[in-house]
Amino acid sequence: MVLSKNLWKKITTSNPISSNVFCADPTSVEYEGRLYVYGTNDHEQYLKAPKNSYEKIKSLVCFSTDDMVNWTYHGKINVGKVAPWIINSWAPTICSRVEADGLTHFYLYFSNNGTGVGVITATSPLGPWSDPLKRPLVKQGMKGLEDSPDPFDPGVVIDDNGDGWLSFGAGIGKNGTKSMPGSSKIAKLGKDMISFASDFIPVKTPYHFEASELNFINGTYVYTYNNNWEERSEWSDVIKTVTSKNAPVPPRCSMAYLTSKNPLDSNSWEYQNYYFKNPGEMGFEYSNNHTHLHKFMGKWYLLYHTMVLQEKAGTHGGFRSLCVDEIEVDEEKVIIHEGTGTRKGVNAIKNLNPFEKVAGTTMFTSADVWYSDIQNPEKIAVTAKEAGAWIFVKNVDFGEGAKTFTAEVKGSGILEVRTDGGKKVVASLSQAATTQQALSSLSPVVSAAPATSDNSYTKITVSLDTPLTGVQDILFVFSSKGDELKSWQFSK
């Protein structure tokens, strides 16, 4: 079987996190040992238009990982269906909290175009999502937002007291200037997380553009934002109004931050520094800039976007891709040190356990694959777009040895499991196989039966042709266009 060479992401670089889905404006939440990352679904625009002008985007995307290199695609969140009143859904931000019913509730805020902020909720990071307000939470013209013409790009955080806070805002306010637009706001959320318990308080953000986000570090509120493309001609005068420090001039369209112990006191917010230059300053194409900080398994990570994937996809329409790199954060002093965006990305923090059921949409990279049922995280599967399509999974730990391989599959072709960079076939099975009908050239079938009540997938177990031990990278190769893989698992 000849392997497809149509790959957009190399097998040697961890960035971007997805090898085939355009997405941007990251946010994240941790749940049960996994990091769930959400972003603007640029791919929706990519499928409908040659340029990314964002107007066709009414959904968000979700990925998760527990090792930081193999990412599971959970499909798209169809915000337009959940909340039909929206104009668009961009730039999400998410938080979670255990509520009185004992369940973890997830609150996902998003930009309703540039006109405001919406919110959807769920009791699982994968939904199903509901629209509790049936209207925007924030919208243009609300009392207190007269000087915030574009109240979008929200950031949310829950502090140590369990209180929620929301930031947002863009544009130049009625008394603002290019150097101090005056449009960024913060407010305390109500106990229900879908109302407000305070007025909208200004945050004085020099050269503010967009991309508000919030963190709570060592008792301190941290407001991050994207500054604008303007020349910094008034920097020396403006910076004096927001800090006593000698803060360096931030590069244009870079990420900067302020800190406060009392977020409802506008004068308490102190500008600190910039921490992430525009991707164009780091070897990528120039683009807008939007980041999210998250501490996961003891390490701080910076999620951001670049246009690295479109270079290989053969488009220059401005379609973005989510990336992640480690960043140094001094939690004691609440200092975000300058981070760097790279193609290499991060290293794995653990190996993948093949003896637990793994979603077929879990991969490090791939070639010529897409997904079925992308609006249903319970049913989503990886699909071959062409014969020879494959997915690559990194750092699979077989320990002392694996005996059999099980897969939930659909189609009429053959699925091969390969190691040694795709050179060695260790197992192969026919998607249509049964225990009585197994091709002599394939691995011996141990069992085969419908995997679901609707018989849409067949669950097939085969013996391995070659024992697998230790930590290895593996490829799953599809022989026929349209073949699907929903899940896989090895046994000891």
Side-chain angles (χ1 to χ4, degrees):
M1 210 183 304
V2 178
L3 299 182
S4 170
K5 295 182 179 180
N6 186 28
L7 71 158
W8 296 355
K9 174 187 173 182
K10 298 178 180 179
I11 63 171
T12 55
T13 57
S14 294
N15 277 330
I17 67 173
S18 173
S19 58
N20 57 2
V21 179
F22 291 118
C23 42
D25 306 323
T27 187
S28 58
V29 68
E30 187 176 344
Y31 182 66
E32 295 184 344
R34 294 188 70 83
L35 183 66
Y36 290 82
V37 173
Y38 306 79
T40 303
N41 189 7
D42 277 17
H43 214 90
E44 186 172 17
Q45 183 86 18
Y46 170 72
L47 294 174
K48 297 176 181 178
K51 297 291 183 181
N52 194 9
S53 46
Y54 317 123
E55 80 281 354
K56 298 184 184 299
I57 301 173
K58 291 191 175 185
S59 61
L60 304 170
V61 294
C62 178
F63 297 86
S64 74
T65 186
D66 64 357
D67 63 13
M68 296 305 296
V69 297
N70 294 301
W71 291 85
T72 302
Y73 180 50
H74 298 290
K76 74 176 187 179
I77 302 169
N78 191 339
V79 184
K81 183 177 181 181
V82 177
W85 52 265
I86 70 165
I87 303 170
N88 294 106
S89 55
W90 307 332
T93 185
I94 191 169
C95 64
S96 66
R97 188 174 65 186
V98 177
E99 303 293 7
D101 59 5
L103 300 175
T104 301
H105 288 244
F106 297 84
Y107 303 93
L108 181 59
Y109 306 83
F110 61 91
S111 300
N112 179 32
N113 191 276
T115 69
V117 176
V119 57
I120 56 177
T121 61
T123 54
S124 161
L126 301 181
W129 298 93
S130 61
D131 174 15
L133 292 177
K134 308 294 189 294
R135 57 174 173 78
L137 172 63
V138 176
K139 63 180 180 179
Q140 291 170 324
M142 288 178 70
K143 182 180 179 181
L145 298 183
E146 294 83 2
D147 55 351
S148 186
D150 304 308
F152 78 124
D153 271 13
V156 70
V157 74
I158 295 176
D159 62 24
D160 287 347
N161 295 321
D163 294 326
W165 301 83
L166 192 75
S167 62
F168 55 86
I172 298 178
K174 61 181 180 180
N175 296 314
T177 64
K178 291 179 180 179
S179 60
M180 189 64 82
S183 56
S184 49
K185 303 287 186 179
I186 190 169
K188 186 177 182 180
L189 287 162
K191 292 183 179 180
D192 58 7
M193 298 294 288
I194 56 172
S195 63
F196 290 105
S198 77
D199 294 333
F200 301 122
I201 305 300
V203 181
K204 299 173 184 178
T205 48
Y207 290 90
H208 182 92
F209 186 33
E210 57 185 8
S212 299
E213 266 286 8
L214 291 173
N215 284 86
F216 188 73
I217 303 172
N218 191 22
T220 302
Y221 300 86
V222 181
Y223 180 108
T224 61
Y225 73 100
N226 177 215
N227 52 56
N228 61 30
W229 294 93
E230 301 294 331
E231 292 286 351
R232 311 308 196 208
S233 56
E234 301 177 25
W235 182 256
S236 59
D237 293 328
V238 169
I239 194 62
K240 294 176 184 178
T241 66
V242 288
T243 184
S244 59
K245 299 178 181 179
N246 185 23
V249 179
R252 287 185 288 181
C253 203
S254 61
M255 300 299 301
Y257 72 107
L258 301 89
T259 59
S260 171
K261 294 284 189 179
N262 183 8
L264 294 181
D265 178 359
S266 184
N267 293 322
S268 73
W269 286 99
E270 184 176 15
Y271 180 90
Q272 299 296 330
N273 207 341
Y274 73 89
Y275 63 90
F276 192 69
K277 296 177 181 178
N278 190 275
E281 303 286 337
M282 295 178 283
F284 300 95
E285 292 183 64
Y286 280 91
S287 64
N288 60 6
N289 210 350
H290 196 128
T291 69
H292 177 69
L293 286 162
H294 196 112
K295 187 179 183 182
F296 180 62
M297 299 300 174
K299 292 185 177 183
W300 279 96
Y301 294 96
L302 185 70
L303 293 147
Y304 59 100
H305 63 235
T306 70
M307 291 193 285
V308 63
L309 204 64
Q310 74 167 7
E311 297 171 10
K312 297 294 184 181
T315 179
H316 295 281
F319 299 101
R320 301 162 295 177
S321 300
L322 293 184
C323 298
V324 61
D325 275 280
E326 288 188 40
I327 190 169
E328 182 182 353
V329 176
D330 184 332
E331 295 183 48
E332 182 178 352
K333 297 179 180 179
V334 194
I335 295 174
I336 307 171
H337 293 273
E338 185 176 353
T340 302
T342 69
R343 284 174 168 80
K344 181 179 181 295
V346 300
N347 296 320
I349 57 174
K350 61 182 291 189
N351 294 325
L352 187 144
N353 181 2
F355 304 116
E356 296 178 349
K357 187 176 181 179
V358 180
T361 61
T362 301
M363 63 191 73
F364 181 86
T365 188
S366 64
D368 267 333
V369 300
W370 190 239
Y371 309 95
S372 65
D373 288 324
I374 61 172
Q375 297 190 54
N376 190 332
E378 298 297 324
K379 294 184 177 182
I380 189 170
V382 69
T383 304
K385 293 169 64 177
E386 300 292 342
W390 51 268
I391 61 174
F392 177 81
V393 185
K394 200 170 181 64
N395 303 327
V396 183
D397 190 354
F398 293 99
E400 296 181 359
K403 180 180 180 182
T404 64
F405 170 69
T406 301
E408 288 183 272
V409 292
K410 181 197 293 188
S412 58
I414 294 169
L415 176 70
E416 291 183 346
V417 183
R418 299 190 184 190
T419 60
D420 295 343
K423 299 174 184 177
K424 186 176 182 180
V425 179
V426 297
S428 53
L429 56 86
S430 168
Q431 269 89 324
T434 68
T435 50
Q436 288 77 33
Q437 299 172 322
L439 301 179
S440 60
S441 61
L442 302 181
S443 304
V445 176
V446 176
S447 64
T452 57
S453 58
D454 60 5
N455 296 337
S456 58
Y457 291 91
T458 301
K459 186 176 183 179
I460 303 172
T461 299
V462 298
S463 299
L464 297 182
D465 302 340
T466 303
L468 288 174
T469 59
V471 179
Q472 302 196 44
D473 300 334
I474 57 175
L475 279 84
F476 298 100
V477 186
F478 301 87
S479 71
S480 301
K481 180 179 179 180
D483 287 350
E484 298 183 19
L485 173 63
K486 188 172 185 294
S487 73
W488 57 270
Q489 185 173 358
F490 289 82
S491 68
K492 296 182 180 180

